[in-house]
Amino acid sequence: MERVDGRRPDQIRPVSIIRHYNKYAEGSVLIEMGDTRVICTATVENRVPPFRKDTGAGWVTAEYAMLPRATGVRTPREAARGRQGGRTMEIQRLIGRSLRSVVDLPALGERTVTLDCDVIQADGGTRTASITGAFVALVDALDNLLREGQLSAMPVHNFLAAVSVGRVNGLLALDLCFAEDSAAGVDMNVVMTGDARLVEVQGTGEEATFTRAEMNEMLDLAAAGISRLVDCQRQALGETAARITPVDPLA
Amino acid sequence: MERVDGRRPDQIRPVSIIRHYNKYAEGSVLIEMGDTRVICTATVENRVPPFRKDTGAGWVTAEYAMLPRATGVRTPREAARGRQGGRTMEIQRLIGRSLRSVVDLPALGERTVTLDCDVIQADGGTRTASITGAFVALVDALDNLLREGQLSAMPVHNFLAAVSVGRVNGLLALDLCFAEDSAAGVDMNVVMTGDARLVEVQGTGEEATFTRAEMNEMLDLAAAGISRLVDCQRQALGETAARITPVDPLA
Amino acid sequence: MERVDGRRPDQIRPVSIIRHYNKYAEGSVLIEMGDTRVICTATVENRVPPFRKDTGAGWVTAEYAMLPRATGVRTPREAARGRQGGRTMEIQRLIGRSLRSVVDLPALGERTVTLDCDVIQADGGTRTASITGAFVALVDALDNLLREGQLSAMPVHNFLAAVSVGRVNGLLALDLCFAEDSAAGVDMNVVMTGDARLVEVQGTGEEATFTRAEMNEMLDLAAAGISRLVDCQRQALGETAARITPVDPLA
Amino acid sequence: MERVDGRRPDQIRPVSIIRHYNKYAEGSVLIEMGDTRVICTATVENRVPPFRKDTGAGWVTAEYAMLPRATGVRTPREAARGRQGGRTMEIQRLIGRSLRSVVDLPALGERTVTLDCDVIQADGGTRTASITGAFVALVDALDNLLREGQLSAMPVHNFLAAVSVGRVNGLLALDLCFAEDSAAGVDMNVVMTGDARLVEVQGTGEEATFTRAEMNEMLDLAAAGISRLVDCQRQALGETAARITPVDPLA
Amino acid sequence: MERVDGRRPDQIRPVSIIRHYNKYAEGSVLIEMGDTRVICTATVENRVPPFRKDTGAGWVTAEYAMLPRATGVRTPREAARGRQGGRTMEIQRLIGRSLRSVVDLPALGERTVTLDCDVIQADGGTRTASITGAFVALVDALDNLLREGQLSAMPVHNFLAAVSVGRVNGLLALDLCFAEDSAAGVDMNVVMTGDARLVEVQGTGEEATFTRAEMNEMLDLAAAGISRLVDCQRQALGETAARITPVDPLA
Amino acid sequence: MERVDGRRPDQIRPVSIIRHYNKYAEGSVLIEMGDTRVICTATVENRVPPFRKDTGAGWVTAEYAMLPRATGVRTPREAARGRQGGRTMEIQRLIGRSLRSVVDLPALGERTVTLDCDVIQADGGTRTASITGAFVALVDALDNLLREGQLSAMPVHNFLAAVSVGRVNGLLALDLCFAEDSAAGVDMNVVMTGDARLVEVQGTGEEATFTRAEMNEMLDLAAAGISRLVDCQRQALGETAARITPVDPLA
């Protein structure tokens, strides 16, 4: 049984990560995974949200949105409807939480880094592409602080990337495109570090269920995909990659 | 090392499920897991949301809220702030999605069942208690339709329950209370069917990561806990439980 | 002519007041009047709204809501609609204003007590039950401050309770249940102190009018009902009741 | 003891009612009571709200607002804040409900009359002036329908006016101006028909209480004031007044 | 070819400017241009918006609204809809910006003057009437500060008025009434100073276009109209007019 | 005196128009003017807004937004704030109105074309770039309908482009970049057709004024700039350009 775009079950789509895509942001990336395109920008501000005040530690947060025609049918603009939908909130909470797992927040100091992930074109896997791209934008923004002498060491201790995996017509497959995602009975988003530790696992049966064996097989696929994505990040970051020294932030 | 309330790592809190808690709703339950208390009501309406119109199939959805003093410090009312927060949206989407996995939506016909889960007192695990309780309210509401002759068979094919599990101070533990949840480095919510198939797995490192081995151990704990919760549901439902014939809805 | 539930015109429904219903709130009550059930919690915060800043005096305010299935037909959640309705606002203003009439606000100091009244099940008279129940929760919360030495005397000087009365099919009746309320041409909510002084009188003709004689008769019924409700409060409060010394706060 | 503006306790302020103040509205009035000025317009639309559909009967509703500088200190615009406040909602519900008490809604047919009451300048008693003025605008709008042959009889069966009364520094006084209203311990708004039947009584102790005797005295003052206001309405309406035949709508 | 109300192409409608229309506002005007009537009030507050803080300079801003029956068909209230529409925002930004062009903001000091323009009746040209009227209210408010000794000189250096002009059925005409405005293919709003300098030109083809020659002719008409409006302002202001010394604020 | 980026006063920035930028939209363009980049997509829907129903004619409308880091300092997301700001509304109204001036709406039939203009990077002139780019996306979307046989002729009769012009430090200059725009005392946006007719002129003094002579000079600059932009559009459209036959839609 073949995939809709001819890929092998364990094959991710072509990945492109363009750094410095925006002239204003402290870090910025255009990430493409197949036809999914997301602009990720990192903004550094010298303040923290109220609940982090006077802790000495920083914060990393994210916002996510799709342009109206990122999708096949035009999606009404959330600003026009006057509120962000549940899906948007869920995704931006996921992105922020994932990135925080590899950042030494006390070392960041009382700063907030906001990752804006704006989907220009959506063809499945927008939330995982956002995490993978936002990681690079975040590193670039922090590297700026480092080079300006505002930080003494890179507060990111590990690579971080994300990928989707799912069961489509009975077949387990990696990095679902939109056509596959729509047909998937089970859909799982996995976020892992560069040394293959889990950060987030969100497996969902869509009017369906799955077994522990399927879950394990999906995690294997995801681990392989994330490993390849981390390679892409490393390549895109070039020399900057070396500043991410693989130390567990909890150590 | 002991748990804050003296439980064994694989022990759930005392469970109480009171049916017919509300005189108006088609199904209603007060569920208590330790000091967490949730009122779950099921409302049946003879219409479906626009995206399900003219499909012949029904819909199951959920709304979730907490009373202001469900929590130690008063939480401002979402109605007064004018919008539901991201956490609320995320939870109510999870509840609805989970329940849909065990309902034969075409057999339900063009009806919507809305599960309202209102947390009266929160002591950890409110979303999982909501799912476990809402399942019973849903069965009662559908059983009503069955007895009124509006349905010819119970469209629920499987039991469904949920529990949290996490890593607290290095120890993996089942059914976290609030004190444990606040201290947890890893937190996982698991939704499973009565025959131990997975419906949702949401594992999250809170500024932390976890290994595949830990993940497997947590899933084992969750499976055991859910099995006990399904026993509680079965006992609460009494004779009605027999109408849930364990057929995979995908078969 | 008989009432729908067989009561005499001057008879209130069975009353139950359960204190300490919630483990977090400084004061909390589950009040039942017939099938109407309201959870009232009192929250004490060491700050006052902007318009009371630096006056040395405190504030008492209230919020009111109904669970979606408190009613026969599901009422959409105000948080989901994004705004509180006019009825909700009117009721919560009434509750707060009524309670303030028996509190010595300067003696309270720069603190705010928020009474949250959440209707779990509605069968008429939810606003009056809220006032009657919230009074007890308020006293408990202030008694806590007293016992902690934060106050030197109970700042509540008088009992306070509320009841509805109305003209149903030409008959004047006390404490209307929902069926009566729906059929009532005239509906009056009365709030009185323990020594029978008036605090609020809100009499309303629903596409109807009423005479001064009817008004007087309704006030007599209300006074009798409130007297019985104050007895219930006194009994529920036990020894704490003695701290409410019946001094007019204006004296 | 004298009133702030030298009036006797039972004296209302100078009243002016200018009809046809607006060239578009089916009925429109500029009412002045002392320095309180309200523009009341009546709009007739050939539809009813959803809850009145297919009943054959009509509806009367009201909206109320204040211009920002109707008040001594500028009040932020509700449209800019994005929501109507509780006071606004309470008042517009009161105006609509009061007017409905003298309208034969079935005779009106499936039409909605919306009374917009916009306070141009506020010096106390804006809600009662709104009712008194809106009544005249309503009659004019219905008289138009009558003259166009769309109605066969005036569906208004009774005059209707409103006034405030209160206890200011221990003195009971009629038609409070803003300075008195601010100082009032007790404030009561009374709506009555042309034949002295009660429609609404809203008596409120502001951190104070009142006795039955005071209540009765206040109602006497209100009745006298409303009688004079009905005279003003009658005079303003001229010949049109004759079409309001004093038949009880409940008869 | 004649205009709908018989005016010559270069003729403005009768203008009336009544000062001190409101007893609370620091400056207030009722302006009428034909059947268009706008209440303009000026409020002075001793603070500036955040983006002007600590600049030493003041700010002038405006808000605009229409009463529901300012229009032939009732316009729903923006406060009830929960947001101001695009037209409202556009107009109030225009009014504020226009007035700022003739105010010496540094000389005003850290104060904000808010011009509220509320349209009581709309018959075309409400935004231009708002500007013309608000100018007078602004001058009165600042003159108050001057007389109180809070300012040492009038910070308004030039008269300012506005008028509409357009192409209706091929004819260029000044000061369009609503009937003309609805039929206009081209509509232009012009704001000018007392010495005929341009402040704003907003020319718009409504599904139509216009030539440079037409544009010039329209500007000529506008200049003539504004000159007459400034005369009306001067006359209305009486002696106060002399305090506006025609110095370019940029000089 | 030189411009900040070395351009001559009458020189526009380098323009790039990339068609088919998005794989879903019926028409889509990435337009760049210097460092300003806007994605414009055109969506065709077979319905019209309520106010156009049953007229047989179509509608063209626009929405505009900026990504948070389109700007030097991060701009909070309007969806998160819950409302679109005045500037956004003003701009999207301008874009829609401008495009309608060259579309034969009756010939379009009961369809709506929505132009979404999302600013990826802002360096001045985003509204004019949006118009220039949206025109091309619109033509592509309509050309699709033409080729599918849903339209018999291109309903766009004229080219349309827009440019800004202003007075910066006393110098009149074309196509202002952000640095110039911030320093501009006068700012004018001009929209013209391919045959040099005016569609919109919005000239604004920012706390400044301008003369008729300056206005004329600015219009000359704008006309020259727009002529060059129309050349760019023509070149980008290639053969499709020929379908735009320069007939005045009013003819």
Side-chain angles (χ1 to χ4, degrees):
Chain A
M1 183 156 193
E2 246 194 20
R3 296 179 71 170
V4 67
D5 53 7
R7 280 185 287 151
R8 293 189 317 274
D10 64 348
Q11 194 178 355
I12 59 173
R13 292 173 289 179
V15 181
S16 152
I17 297 175
I18 300 174
R19 285 161 74 204
H20 311 307
Y21 185 71
N22 172 296
K23 77 170 188 175
Y24 300 118
E26 286 75 44
S28 65
V29 150
L30 172 66
I31 184 167
E32 301 188 11
M33 289 198 66
D35 281 344
T36 288
R37 286 188 224 158
V38 187
I39 297 176
C40 308
T41 58
T43 299
V44 180
E45 290 167 305
N46 287 317
R47 58 170 188 232
V48 286
F51 64 91
R52 299 293 283 195
K53 275 253 170 76
D54 303 319
T55 62
W59 192 242
V60 173
T61 186
E63 295 198 5
Y64 168 96
M66 295 204 300
L67 297 201
R69 277 320 285 278
T71 48
V73 169
R74 184 176 185 273
T75 308
R77 217 171 266 274
E78 293 185 320
R81 292 175 46 229
R83 60 173 75 190
Q84 294 179 305
R87 180 182 171 277
T88 294
M89 294 226 199
E90 198 171 304
I91 292 176
Q92 61 196 18
R93 284 159 58 91
L94 168 66
I95 301 170
R97 204 165 57 225
S98 296
L99 292 169
R100 287 194 294 274
S101 73
V102 291
V103 176
D104 182 348
L105 295 173
L108 176 57
E110 290 215 359
R111 291 181 182 89
T112 297
V113 187
T114 302
L115 281 310
D116 284 291
C117 300
D118 286 89
V119 181
I120 298 309
Q121 193 168 272
D123 191 12
T126 63
R127 78 186 73 187
T128 50
S130 294
I131 291 169
T132 304
F135 175 81
V136 176
L138 171 64
V139 168
D140 264 335
L142 296 179
D143 194 47
N144 263 355
L145 291 178
L146 201 60
R147 280 181 294 143
E148 289 169 359
Q150 297 196 44
L151 290 177
S152 56
M154 168 62 67
V156 172
H157 288 291
N158 218 327
F159 276 81
L160 182 92
V163 80
S164 78
V165 55
R167 189 181 67 205
V168 187
N169 303 321
L171 180 79
L172 300 185
L174 180 65
D175 185 25
L176 310 185
C177 68
F178 179 71
E180 292 175 319
D181 193 44
S182 305
V186 178
D187 175 39
M188 193 155 82
N189 292 295
V190 182
V191 187
M192 292 178 81
T193 61
D195 56 352
R197 293 181 66 91
L198 291 160
V199 170
E200 284 273 341
V201 176
Q202 298 202 343
T204 296
E206 298 286 348
E207 302 173 29
T209 60
F210 53 106
T211 63
R212 287 283 292 273
E214 287 175 315
M215 170 131 203
N216 277 320
E217 200 177 328
M218 287 191 287
L219 285 172
D220 290 342
L221 282 172
I226 286 169
S227 166
R228 282 195 288 276
L229 288 165
V230 169
D231 287 345
C232 297
Q233 290 175 326
R234 204 179 292 274
Q235 199 167 4
L237 280 167
E239 290 180 13
T240 308
R243 289 200 201 106
I244 303 166
T245 45
V247 174
D248 186 332
L250 296 178
Chain B
M1 184 157 188
E2 246 194 19
R3 295 180 71 171
V4 65
D5 54 8
R7 280 186 286 152
R8 292 186 319 274
D10 65 348
Q11 195 178 353
I12 60 173
R13 292 172 290 177
V15 181
S16 152
I17 298 175
I18 300 173
R19 285 162 73 206
H20 310 306
Y21 185 72
N22 172 294
K23 77 170 188 174
Y24 300 117
E26 286 75 44
S28 65
V29 150
L30 172 66
I31 184 167
E32 301 188 10
M33 289 198 66
D35 280 345
T36 288
R37 288 187 221 158
V38 188
I39 298 176
C40 307
T41 58
T43 299
V44 180
E45 289 167 305
N46 288 317
R47 58 169 187 234
V48 286
F51 64 90
R52 300 292 282 194
K53 275 250 171 79
D54 303 319
T55 63
W59 192 242
V60 173
T61 187
E63 295 198 6
Y64 169 95
M66 296 205 298
L67 296 200
R69 277 319 288 276
T71 47
V73 169
R74 185 176 185 273
T75 308
R77 217 171 267 274
E78 292 184 324
R81 290 176 45 229
R83 59 173 76 191
Q84 294 179 305
R87 179 182 171 276
T88 293
M89 294 226 198
E90 196 171 305
I91 292 176
Q92 61 197 17
R93 283 160 57 91
L94 168 66
I95 301 170
R97 205 167 55 225
S98 296
L99 291 169
R100 286 194 294 275
S101 73
V102 291
V103 176
D104 183 347
L105 294 173
L108 176 57
E110 290 216 357
R111 291 181 181 90
T112 297
V113 187
T114 301
L115 281 309
D116 284 291
C117 300
D118 285 90
V119 181
I120 299 310
Q121 193 168 272
D123 192 13
T126 63
R127 78 187 71 187
T128 50
S130 293
I131 291 169
T132 304
F135 175 81
V136 175
L138 171 65
V139 169
D140 264 335
L142 296 179
D143 193 48
N144 264 355
L145 291 178
L146 200 60
R147 280 181 292 143
E148 288 169 1
Q150 297 196 46
L151 290 176
S152 56
M154 168 62 68
V156 173
H157 287 291
N158 217 328
F159 277 82
L160 182 92
V163 79
S164 78
V165 55
R167 187 180 70 204
V168 186
N169 303 322
L171 179 81
L172 300 186
L174 180 65
D175 185 25
L176 309 186
C177 67
F178 179 72
E180 292 175 321
D181 193 44
S182 305
V186 178
D187 174 39
M188 191 154 84
N189 291 294
V190 183
V191 187
M192 293 177 81
T193 61
D195 55 354
R197 291 180 66 89
L198 292 160
V199 170
E200 283 272 342
V201 176
Q202 298 200 342
T204 294
E206 298 285 349
E207 302 173 29
T209 59
F210 52 106
T211 64
R212 286 285 291 275
E214 286 175 316
M215 169 129 207
N216 278 320
E217 200 176 330
M218 288 191 287
L219 284 172
D220 290 342
L221 283 171
I226 286 170
S227 167
R228 283 194 287 279
L229 287 166
V230 169
D231 287 346
C232 297
Q233 290 176 326
R234 203 179 291 274
Q235 199 167 3
L237 280 167
E239 291 180 13
T240 308
R243 286 200 202 107
I244 302 166
T245 45
V247 173
D248 186 331
L250 294 179
Chain C
M1 182 153 190
E2 247 195 17
R3 295 180 71 171
V4 66
D5 53 7
R7 281 185 286 151
R8 294 188 316 273
D10 65 348
Q11 194 178 355
I12 61 174
R13 293 173 289 176
V15 180
S16 153
I17 297 176
I18 299 175
R19 284 161 74 204
H20 311 307
Y21 185 72
N22 172 295
K23 77 170 188 176
Y24 299 117
E26 286 75 45
S28 65
V29 150
L30 172 66
I31 184 166
E32 300 188 11
M33 289 199 66
D35 281 344
T36 288
R37 286 187 222 158
V38 188
I39 298 177
C40 307
T41 58
T43 298
V44 179
E45 289 167 304
N46 287 318
R47 57 167 187 235
V48 286
F51 64 90
R52 299 293 281 195
K53 275 253 170 77
D54 303 319
T55 61
W59 192 242
V60 173
T61 186
E63 295 198 7
Y64 169 96
M66 294 205 299
L67 296 201
R69 277 320 286 277
T71 47
V73 169
R74 183 175 186 274
T75 308
R77 215 171 267 275
E78 293 185 322
R81 291 176 46 229
R83 58 173 77 191
Q84 295 179 304
R87 181 183 171 275
T88 294
M89 293 224 200
E90 195 171 306
I91 292 176
Q92 61 196 18
R93 283 159 57 92
L94 168 66
I95 300 170
R97 204 166 57 224
S98 295
L99 291 169
R100 285 195 294 274
S101 74
V102 290
V103 176
D104 182 347
L105 294 174
L108 175 57
E110 289 216 359
R111 291 181 182 89
T112 297
V113 187
T114 302
L115 282 309
D116 283 291
C117 300
D118 286 90
V119 181
I120 300 307
Q121 194 169 272
D123 191 14
T126 63
R127 79 188 69 188
T128 49
S130 293
I131 291 169
T132 305
F135 175 81
V136 175
L138 171 65
V139 168
D140 264 335
L142 296 179
D143 194 46
N144 264 354
L145 291 178
L146 201 59
R147 278 180 295 142
E148 288 168 0
Q150 297 195 46
L151 290 177
S152 56
M154 168 61 69
V156 173
H157 287 291
N158 217 330
F159 276 82
L160 182 92
V163 79
S164 79
V165 55
R167 186 180 71 205
V168 187
N169 303 321
L171 180 80
L172 299 186
L174 180 64
D175 185 25
L176 308 186
C177 67
F178 178 72
E180 292 175 320
D181 192 43
S182 307
V186 178
D187 175 39
M188 191 155 84
N189 291 294
V190 182
V191 187
M192 293 178 81
T193 61
D195 55 353
R197 293 180 64 91
L198 291 160
V199 171
E200 283 273 342
V201 176
Q202 298 201 343
T204 296
E206 298 286 348
E207 301 172 29
T209 58
F210 53 106
T211 62
R212 286 285 292 273
E214 286 175 316
M215 169 128 203
N216 278 321
E217 199 176 330
M218 287 192 286
L219 284 172
D220 290 341
L221 283 171
I226 285 170
S227 165
R228 283 194 288 278
L229 287 166
V230 169
D231 288 345
C232 297
Q233 291 176 325
R234 202 180 293 273
Q235 197 166 6
L237 280 168
E239 290 181 12
T240 308
R243 289 200 200 104
I244 304 166
T245 45
V247 173
D248 186 331
L250 295 180
Chain D
M1 183 155 191
E2 247 197 19
R3 295 180 71 172
V4 66
D5 54 6
R7 281 184 287 152
R8 292 188 319 273
D10 65 348
Q11 193 178 355
I12 60 173
R13 292 173 288 178
V15 181
S16 152
I17 298 176
I18 299 173
R19 284 162 74 204
H20 312 306
Y21 185 71
N22 172 297
K23 77 169 187 175
Y24 301 117
E26 286 76 44
S28 66
V29 149
L30 172 67
I31 184 168
E32 301 187 11
M33 290 199 64
D35 281 344
T36 288
R37 287 187 222 157
V38 188
I39 298 177
C40 307
T41 59
T43 299
V44 180
E45 289 167 305
N46 287 318
R47 58 170 189 233
V48 286
F51 64 91
R52 299 292 282 195
K53 276 255 168 75
D54 302 319
T55 62
W59 191 241
V60 173
T61 186
E63 295 199 6
Y64 169 95
M66 294 203 301
L67 296 200
R69 278 319 286 276
T71 48
V73 169
R74 185 176 184 273
T75 308
R77 217 170 266 274
E78 292 185 322
R81 290 176 47 230
R83 58 173 76 192
Q84 294 179 304
R87 180 182 172 276
T88 294
M89 295 226 199
E90 197 171 304
I91 293 176
Q92 61 196 19
R93 284 159 57 91
L94 168 67
I95 301 170
R97 205 166 55 226
S98 295
L99 291 169
R100 285 194 295 275
S101 74
V102 291
V103 176
D104 182 347
L105 294 174
L108 176 57
E110 290 216 357
R111 290 181 182 91
T112 297
V113 187
T114 301
L115 281 309
D116 283 291
C117 300
D118 285 90
V119 180
I120 299 309
Q121 194 169 272
D123 191 14
T126 63
R127 78 187 72 189
T128 49
S130 293
I131 292 169
T132 304
F135 175 81
V136 176
L138 171 65
V139 168
D140 264 334
L142 297 178
D143 194 46
N144 264 354
L145 291 178
L146 200 60
R147 280 180 294 141
E148 288 167 1
Q150 297 196 46
L151 291 176
S152 57
M154 169 61 69
V156 172
H157 288 291
N158 217 328
F159 277 82
L160 182 92
V163 80
S164 78
V165 55
R167 187 181 68 205
V168 187
N169 302 323
L171 179 80
L172 300 185
L174 179 65
D175 186 26
L176 309 186
C177 67
F178 178 73
E180 292 175 319
D181 193 42
S182 306
V186 179
D187 174 39
M188 193 154 83
N189 291 294
V190 182
V191 187
M192 292 178 82
T193 61
D195 55 353
R197 293 181 65 91
L198 291 159
V199 171
E200 284 272 343
V201 176
Q202 298 201 343
T204 295
E206 299 285 349
E207 302 172 29
T209 59
F210 52 106
T211 63
R212 287 283 293 274
E214 286 175 315
M215 169 131 204
N216 277 321
E217 199 176 331
M218 287 191 286
L219 285 172
D220 289 342
L221 283 170
I226 285 169
S227 166
R228 282 195 287 277
L229 287 166
V230 169
D231 287 347
C232 297
Q233 291 174 325
R234 202 179 293 273
Q235 197 166 4
L237 280 167
E239 290 181 12
T240 309
R243 292 207 195 98
I244 303 166
T245 44
V247 172
D248 186 331
L250 295 179
Chain E
M1 185 157 189
E2 247 196 17
R3 295 180 71 173
V4 66
D5 53 7
R7 280 184 287 151
R8 294 187 317 274
D10 65 348
Q11 194 178 355
I12 60 172
R13 293 172 289 177
V15 181
S16 152
I17 297 175
I18 300 174
R19 284 162 75 204
H20 311 307
Y21 186 72
N22 172 295
K23 78 170 188 174
Y24 300 118
E26 286 74 44
S28 66
V29 151
L30 171 67
I31 184 167
E32 299 188 11
M33 289 199 66
D35 281 344
T36 288
R37 288 188 222 156
V38 188
I39 298 176
C40 307
T41 59
T43 299
V44 180
E45 289 167 306
N46 286 317
R47 59 170 186 234
V48 286
F51 63 92
R52 299 294 281 197
K53 275 251 170 77
D54 302 320
T55 61
W59 193 242
V60 173
T61 186
E63 295 198 7
Y64 168 96
M66 295 204 300
L67 297 201
R69 277 319 287 277
T71 47
V73 169
R74 184 177 186 271
T75 308
R77 217 171 266 275
E78 293 185 322
R81 291 176 46 229
R83 59 174 75 192
Q84 294 179 304
R87 180 183 171 277
T88 293
M89 295 226 199
E90 198 171 303
I91 293 175
Q92 61 196 18
R93 283 159 58 89
L94 168 65
I95 301 170
R97 206 167 55 226
S98 296
L99 291 169
R100 285 195 295 275
S101 73
V102 290
V103 176
D104 182 348
L105 295 173
L108 176 56
E110 290 217 357
R111 292 181 181 90
T112 297
V113 186
T114 302
L115 282 309
D116 284 291
C117 301
D118 286 89
V119 180
I120 299 310
Q121 194 168 273
D123 192 13
T126 63
R127 77 187 70 187
T128 48
S130 294
I131 291 168
T132 305
F135 175 82
V136 176
L138 171 66
V139 168
D140 264 335
L142 296 179
D143 193 47
N144 264 354
L145 291 178
L146 201 60
R147 279 181 293 142
E148 288 168 359
Q150 297 196 45
L151 290 176
S152 56
M154 168 63 67
V156 173
H157 287 291
N158 217 329
F159 276 81
L160 182 91
V163 79
S164 77
V165 55
R167 187 181 69 207
V168 187
N169 304 321
L171 180 79
L172 299 186
L174 179 65
D175 185 25
L176 309 186
C177 67
F178 179 72
E180 292 175 319
D181 193 44
S182 306
V186 178
D187 174 39
M188 192 155 83
N189 291 294
V190 182
V191 187
M192 292 178 82
T193 60
D195 55 353
R197 293 181 66 89
L198 291 161
V199 170
E200 285 271 342
V201 176
Q202 298 200 343
T204 295
E206 299 285 348
E207 303 173 27
T209 59
F210 53 106
T211 62
R212 287 283 293 275
E214 286 174 316
M215 171 130 204
N216 278 320
E217 199 176 330
M218 288 191 287
L219 284 171
D220 290 342
L221 283 171
I226 286 169
S227 166
R228 283 195 286 277
L229 288 166
V230 169
D231 288 346
C232 298
Q233 291 175 325
R234 204 180 291 273
Q235 196 166 7
L237 280 166
E239 291 181 14
T240 308
R243 287 199 203 105
I244 302 167
T245 45
V247 173
D248 186 331
L250 295 179
Chain F
M1 185 156 188
E2 247 195 19
R3 295 180 71 170
V4 65
D5 52 8
R7 280 185 287 152
R8 293 188 317 273
D10 65 347
Q11 193 178 357
I12 60 173
R13 293 173 289 178
V15 182
S16 153
I17 298 176
I18 300 173
R19 284 162 74 204
H20 311 307
Y21 185 71
N22 173 294
K23 77 171 188 173
Y24 300 118
E26 286 75 44
S28 65
V29 150
L30 171 66
I31 184 168
E32 300 187 11
M33 289 197 66
D35 281 344
T36 288
R37 287 187 223 157
V38 188
I39 297 176
C40 307
T41 59
T43 299
V44 179
E45 289 167 306
N46 287 318
R47 58 169 187 234
V48 285
F51 64 90
R52 298 293 281 196
K53 275 253 169 77
D54 303 320
T55 61
W59 192 242
V60 173
T61 186
E63 296 198 5
Y64 169 96
M66 296 204 299
L67 296 201
R69 277 319 287 277
T71 46
V73 169
R74 185 177 185 272
T75 309
R77 216 171 267 275
E78 292 185 323
R81 291 175 46 230
R83 59 172 75 191
Q84 294 179 303
R87 181 183 171 275
T88 293
M89 295 224 199
E90 197 170 304
I91 292 176
Q92 60 196 17
R93 284 159 56 91
L94 168 65
I95 301 170
R97 204 166 56 225
S98 295
L99 291 169
R100 286 194 295 275
S101 73
V102 291
V103 177
D104 182 347
L105 295 173
L108 176 56
E110 290 216 357
R111 292 182 180 89
T112 297
V113 187
T114 302
L115 281 310
D116 284 292
C117 300
D118 285 90
V119 181
I120 299 309
Q121 194 168 274
D123 191 14
T126 63
R127 78 188 69 189
T128 49
S130 294
I131 291 168
T132 304
F135 175 81
V136 176
L138 170 65
V139 168
D140 264 334
L142 296 179
D143 193 46
N144 264 354
L145 291 178
L146 200 59
R147 281 181 291 142
E148 288 167 0
Q150 297 195 46
L151 290 177
S152 56
M154 168 61 68
V156 172
H157 287 291
N158 218 329
F159 277 81
L160 183 92
V163 78
S164 78
V165 57
R167 187 181 68 206
V168 186
N169 303 322
L171 179 79
L172 300 186
L174 180 64
D175 185 25
L176 309 186
C177 67
F178 179 72
E180 292 175 320
D181 193 42
S182 306
V186 178
D187 174 39
M188 191 155 84
N189 292 294
V190 182
V191 187
M192 291 177 83
T193 61
D195 55 352
R197 293 180 67 91
L198 292 160
V199 171
E200 284 272 343
V201 175
Q202 298 202 342
T204 295
E206 298 285 349
E207 302 172 28
T209 58
F210 52 108
T211 63
R212 286 285 292 274
E214 286 174 315
M215 170 130 203
N216 278 321
E217 199 176 332
M218 287 190 287
L219 285 172
D220 290 341
L221 283 171
I226 286 169
S227 165
R228 283 194 286 277
L229 288 166
V230 168
D231 288 345
C232 298
Q233 291 175 325
R234 202 179 293 272
Q235 196 167 6
L237 280 167
E239 291 181 14
T240 308
R243 290 203 198 103
I244 302 166
T245 44
V247 174
D248 186 331
L250 294 179

